Amino acid sequence: MRADAQLNRERILAAAEDVFMERGVGVSLDEVARRAGVGIGTLYRRFPSREDLLAAAYSARFLALAETSRARVVDLDPARAFKAYMEELVRYSNVYRGFAASLGVVLRIGTPGCLATSEEGARLLQAAQEAGAVRPDISFNDVVCVATAISLATEQDSAAEARIKHLVGVFMNGIVER
């Protein structure tokens, strides 16, 4: 990538981070472009959709989620490791207001962070299934749907942490192999 194109990309991502943190992901992309000091066409050349921009802006967070999960897994049995991953995925989905609704699409974009988070989740799900802790008919797509629902339910909750733990616990009880 040319130096000026790389600089524009970095400016767009920095502006997106600021705007999404302040106003949520529903903000106009024109506002992101304006804050970045680029035209809307430049933004769309780098990021053809809102989800592409979200995935790029979130990639480092998703990489951190996957790294944290991999480090934690050595101390936990497969069911607890999977539950901890679910709780973390929901927490990460609540950083930007409104992000949860796009979680499933964003995870399929293919940024390094999206890939790492999806691969880690699928790996933990499979390990929990192989240990007999999770039903074999549960897919990673099911996990993303539930994480999305929990994220939406807790996004504006003043006691989000406790609610996330409770709702992930309810989900885990529902998918236990019996």
Side-chain angles (χ1 to χ4, degrees):
M1 188 179 293
R2 292 184 342 239
D4 61 331
Q6 181 62 33
L7 179 61
N8 282 342
R9 184 179 195 286
E10 290 168 7
R11 289 170 42 197
I12 291 167
L13 288 173
E17 173 70 14
D18 291 344
V19 172
F20 293 158
M21 289 298 285
E22 291 169 14
R23 299 179 41 206
V25 302
V27 70
S28 162
L29 294 185
D30 286 323
E31 173 67 14
V32 174
R34 186 187 64 71
R35 287 245 194 129
V38 301
I40 192 69
T42 298
L43 185 146
Y44 278 113
R45 271 192 300 282
R46 304 289 171 260
F47 306 101
S49 71
R50 179 178 302 275
E51 289 77 16
D52 287 307
L53 180 57
L54 286 169
Y58 236 73
S59 190
R61 283 187 179 88
F62 280 146
L63 281 171
L65 185 155
E67 287 175 23
T68 299
S69 178
R70 284 190 295 269
R72 176 181 48 234
V73 76
V74 297
D75 297 327
L76 300 174
D77 65 72
R80 289 187 193 277
F82 179 66
K83 183 179 184 211
Y85 168 87
M86 281 287 298
E87 289 172 0
E88 197 83 3
L89 181 60
V90 172
R91 271 189 230 100
Y92 274 69
S93 298
N94 282 343
V95 171
Y96 298 152
R97 188 176 58 254
F99 178 79
S102 299
L103 179 62
V105 173
V106 167
L107 283 174
R108 289 191 295 270
I109 297 289
T111 67
C114 293
L115 291 172
T117 291
S118 296
E119 288 168 2
E120 178 64 3
R123 185 185 70 74
L124 290 171
L125 173 62
Q126 182 178 1
Q129 288 171 323
E130 289 172 358
V134 172
R135 296 181 351 212
D137 64 327
I138 302 299
S139 71
F140 183 68
N141 285 336
D142 296 334
V143 171
V144 172
C145 287
V146 171
T148 298
I150 294 171
S151 295
L152 290 169
T154 59
E155 184 177 63
Q156 302 294 321
D157 198 322
S158 61
E161 186 61 33
R163 190 82 175 129
I164 289 168
K165 285 186 172 300
H166 173 74
L167 291 173
V168 169
V170 169
F171 170 67
M172 291 299 294
N173 287 336
I175 65 168
V176 170
E177 182 67 58
R178 301 199 192 268

